């Protein structure tokens, strides 16, 4: 193949940083401010929940134990029922989500979230020799069903933002109770935006489909 010309590749760290909130790169940069990784390459998903929302529904966040997605759904329903005016309008329709998975209208986030659920269910996007789709395997169906139950029982996917960053922003502003994000959430969305949620949330390990 023809060698690539250096002038065809342009990268500016300053321009990249300027496109993000100030301080958004701090958690994956060295002491000189040079990023040593980008957050997709060093990310895993964590469950963050707003302590104030839980307490408003009579739930003590220090006593919450979440091992499975069923545990999380049970918690979510308890909080929604304990403070219905925050989550639903007078007709019973959701106006705020307990959680919205960051997968809507964004292929990268969709795959990242799907990959986690598939890993938990033993499913796969492709079969072992990569010659055919395997997403419709029984394990894949379990993963997708779990994602849909979380989305539909604890909110309305049609309510609120659809851009992943804005979904994280909705959590940071207190409009959404829980969020699934990486360890960069603190620097990139909470500290960097002076979020009112800063210091008022618990971070839990991502729930599993099967506690075993």
């Amino acid at each position: 193949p023809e060698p690539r010309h250096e002038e065809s590749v342009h990268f500016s760290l300053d321009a990249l940083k300027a496109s993000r909130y100030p301080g958004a790169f701090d958690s994956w940069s060295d002491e000189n401010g040079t990023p040593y990784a980008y957050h997709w390459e060093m990310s895993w998903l964590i469950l963050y929940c707003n302590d104030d929302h839980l307490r408003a529904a009579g739930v003590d966040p220090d006593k919450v134990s979440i091992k499975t997605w069923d545990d999380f759904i049970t918690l979510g329903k308890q909080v929604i029922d304990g403070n219905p005016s925050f989550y639903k309008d007078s007709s019973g329709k959701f106006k705020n989500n307990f959680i919205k998975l960051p997968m809507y209208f964004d292929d990268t986030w969709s795959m990242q979230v799907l990959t986690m659920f598939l890993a938990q269910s033993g499913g796969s996007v492709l079969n072992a020799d990569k010659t055919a789709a395997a997403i419709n395997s029984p394990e894949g169906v379990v993963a997708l069903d779990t994602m849909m139950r979380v989305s539909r029982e604890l909110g309305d996917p049609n309510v609120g933002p659809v851009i992943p960053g804005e979904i994280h922003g909705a959590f940071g502003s207190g409009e959404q109770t829980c969020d699934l994000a990486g360890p960069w959430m603190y620097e990139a969305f909470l500290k960097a935006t002076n979020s009112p949620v800063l210091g008022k949330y618990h971070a839990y390990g991502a729930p599993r489909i099967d506690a075993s």
Side-chain angles (χ1 to χ4, degrees), residues 19-58:
S19 70
R20 301 294 189 270
Y21 288 115
F25 285 79
D26 290 355
S27 61
W28 53 87
S29 298
D30 64 19
E31 64 275 10
N32 298 315
T34 303
Y36 50 79
Y38 194 55
H39 63 268
W40 304 119
E41 281 71 48
M42 55 179 234
S43 186
W44 60 92
L45 294 178
I46 298 168
L47 180 66
Y48 299 84
C49 291
N50 185 320
D51 289 352
D52 289 345
H53 289 191
L54 270 58
R55 291 193 181 99

Side-chain angles (χ1 to χ4, degrees), residues 5 27 47 59 72 79 98 127 143 146 150 168 172 187 212:
H5 294 290
S27 61
L47 180 66
V59 174
F72 180 65
V79 173
F98 184 77
N127 63 6
T146 304
V150 171
H168 303 321
E187 293 280 0
S212 61

Side-chain angles (χ1 to χ4, degrees), residues 78 84 91 104 140 154 167 192-193 204 209:
Q78 179 183 356
S91 66
Y104 300 93
L154 301 181
I167 292 175
T193 60
Y204 306 93
I209 291 176

Side-chain angles (χ1 to χ4, degrees), residues 187-198:
E187 293 280 0
F189 285 93
L190 302 183
K191 180 182 175 182
T193 60
N194 295 314
S195 165
V197 177
L198 189 66

Side-chain angles (χ1 to χ4, degrees), residues 156-193:
D156 183 346
N158 296 306
V159 169
V162 295
I163 298 172
E166 292 181 1
I167 292 175
H168 303 321
F171 169 76
S173 68
E175 299 169 35
Q176 180 176 294
T177 300
C178 298
D179 191 20
L180 197 63
W184 37 263
M185 168 66 97
Y186 176 83
E187 293 280 0
F189 285 93
L190 302 183
K191 180 182 175 182
T193 60

Side-chain angles (χ1 to χ4, degrees), residues 126-168:
L126 299 175
N127 63 6
D129 61 7
K130 309 296 190 293
T131 60
I135 193 67
N136 59 347
S137 68
E139 296 83 2
V141 171
V142 168
L144 291 168
D145 177 68
T146 304
M147 293 170 70
M148 291 303 99
R149 287 195 299 114
V150 171
S151 296
R152 292 172 177 169
E153 295 186 35
L154 301 181
D156 183 346
N158 296 306
V159 169
V162 295
I163 298 172
E166 292 181 1
I167 292 175
H168 303 321

Side-chain angles (χ1 to χ4, degrees), residues 61-137:
D62 291 325
K63 296 181 179 179
V64 167
S65 176
I66 304 171
K67 294 182 178 179
T68 68
W69 288 108
D70 285 336
D71 293 339
F72 180 65
I73 290 173
T74 298
L75 170 69
K77 289 182 175 179
Q78 179 183 356
V79 173
I80 292 168
D81 290 345
N83 188 16
S85 62
F86 176 78
Y87 297 98
K88 297 182 178 180
D89 62 21
S90 58
S91 66
K93 294 182 179 180
F94 278 101
K95 60 181 182 180
N96 289 307
N97 291 310
F98 184 77
I99 191 171
K100 187 167 186 175
L101 298 180
M103 62 187 185
Y104 300 93
F105 298 168
D106 185 293
D107 293 340
T108 300
W109 266 104
S110 295
M111 185 54 65
Q112 186 177 36
V113 176
L114 173 60
T115 297
M116 185 192 76
F117 279 88
L118 287 172
Q120 293 185 1
S121 71
S124 176
V125 175
L126 299 175
N127 63 6
D129 61 7
K130 309 296 190 293
T131 60
I135 193 67
N136 59 347
S137 68

